[in-house]
Amino acid sequence: MRDICGILGVNRSSFYYQPKEDPSEDVLRAEIETLAGRYPRYGYRRITQLLVRQGYTVGTRRVARLMKEKKLLVSVKRAETQTTKSLRGDKPWSNRLETLEVSHQDQVWVADITYVRLKGRFIYVCLLMDVFTRVIKAWQLGPHLNQSLTLKPLEEALCHSVPEIHHSDQGVQYLSKAYIATLQEHRIEISVAHRGRPWENGYAERLIRTLKEEEVDLNDYQNITEARDRIGHFIEQVYHQKRPHSALGYLTPMEFQRKTFS
């Protein structure tokens, strides 16, 4: 069987895969409600991909119709609070991503910070992501917007690989002397978004939105330990392993990494 699959160019798991028969509307509704309950921020395209992964033969139009019937196509916008303070004055760096085509791993890492609301206060999460694979290289959660919040995950990620370009907004945490010195020590090109243009850090912004909508906004953390545990579980077990990503052809970051580099 291994030889046959090798000749055909398919995985053995794909050879034995048997799709389920066209599901009835009732079965499909039940599956959609289950998935929408588990992933309440997923749209009909991503729900469709999850159904296909389970073996159902179903299209996006049908899923969209059934989700609309069940009032599951809900878009919620939440107000954000500012997490970074920009440095004033002229800076020698510009946005290197405006005309760049990202084509390989460790070509560009992007970084950003978001807040998490606890009872009576905020804590903060810093994320560092590889753009090509969408893998989160490192992250840090802490009670303060200080230098260690951003520097610690950078140093951790650099122990395993080094990017060609590091891109962020103009927050003081990313343009501090210690942070810049670490990037320059590893000969990493520095790229920054223009002030007042959050879309120029769009890769990181979308990652933050995913974390907020699919984990943080759905939970009421009692303390920083619980927040760290739950967010860590989401990153490692859900985002990396289970969440299909449209930019990766609806593969998860781990699936994309295995497929690309195996």
Side-chain angles (χ1 to χ4, degrees), residues 187-202:
R187 298 182 179 181
I188 300 168
E189 185 176 358
I190 299 168
S191 173
V192 297
H194 292 91
R195 187 186 306 159
R197 297 183 180 181
W199 59 87
E200 291 190 4
N201 198 17

Side-chain angles (χ1 to χ4, degrees), residues 139 141 211 214-216 218-238:
W139 65 282
L141 184 148
L211 175 66
E214 299 180 17
E215 168 58 31
V216 174
L218 303 179
N219 292 285
D220 184 17
Y221 308 121
Q222 297 302 303
N223 52 57
I224 192 170
T225 300
E226 181 183 353
R228 184 178 289 110
D229 290 344
R230 293 294 299 272
I231 290 172
H233 178 270
F234 175 80
I235 290 172
E236 297 301 332
Q237 302 301 321
V238 179

Side-chain angles (χ1 to χ4, degrees), residues 17 19-23 28 48 51-52 54-59 62:
Y17 171 78
K20 298 179 182 179
E21 295 181 359
D22 187 34
L28 201 52
T48 301
L51 289 167
V52 170
Q54 292 181 13
Y56 291 103
T57 303
V58 64
R62 188 179 183 189

Side-chain angles (χ1 to χ4, degrees), residues 39-53:
Y39 308 106
R41 300 295 183 185
Y42 279 18
Y44 67 90
R45 290 186 179 87
R46 192 161 277 116
I47 291 293
T48 301
Q49 291 298 320
L50 293 177
L51 289 167
V52 170
R53 284 166 176 263

Side-chain angles (χ1 to χ4, degrees), residues 8 34 38 53 61 80 85 88 96 108 125 127 157 175 195 200 205 207 211 228 230 234 244 255:
L8 294 176
T34 299
R38 188 177 305 161
R53 284 166 176 263
R61 288 186 179 181
E80 296 290 326
K85 181 179 179 181
R88 299 292 178 178
R96 304 294 187 187
V108 179
V125 181
L127 298 162
L175 299 184
R195 187 186 306 159
E200 291 190 4
E205 290 279 334
L207 172 62
L211 175 66
R228 184 178 289 110
R230 293 294 299 272
F234 175 80
E255 288 173 337

Side-chain angles (χ1 to χ4, degrees), residues 47-86:
I47 291 293
T48 301
Q49 291 298 320
L50 293 177
L51 289 167
V52 170
R53 284 166 176 263
Q54 292 181 13
Y56 291 103
T57 303
V58 64
T60 54
R61 288 186 179 181
R62 188 179 183 189
V63 172
R65 172 176 60 81
L66 293 174
M67 289 183 71
K68 185 176 181 180
E69 289 177 5
K70 302 299 291 184
K71 299 183 188 238
L72 296 173
L73 296 177
V74 179
S75 177
V76 178
K77 294 184 179 180
R78 295 180 178 269
E80 296 290 326
T81 188
Q82 186 175 359
T83 55
T84 56
K85 181 179 179 181
S86 298

Side-chain angles (χ1 to χ4, degrees), residues 22 40 116 119 168 252:
D22 187 34
V116 175
K119 292 183 177 180
S168 69
T252 70

Side-chain angles (χ1 to χ4, degrees), residues 91-111:
K91 288 165 282 296
W93 307 290
S94 60
N95 183 358
R96 304 294 187 187
L97 304 191
E98 289 181 303
T99 58
L100 180 70
E101 180 180 350
V102 180
S103 60
H104 54 274
Q105 187 177 28
D106 294 327
Q107 181 182 5
V108 179
W109 289 2
V110 293

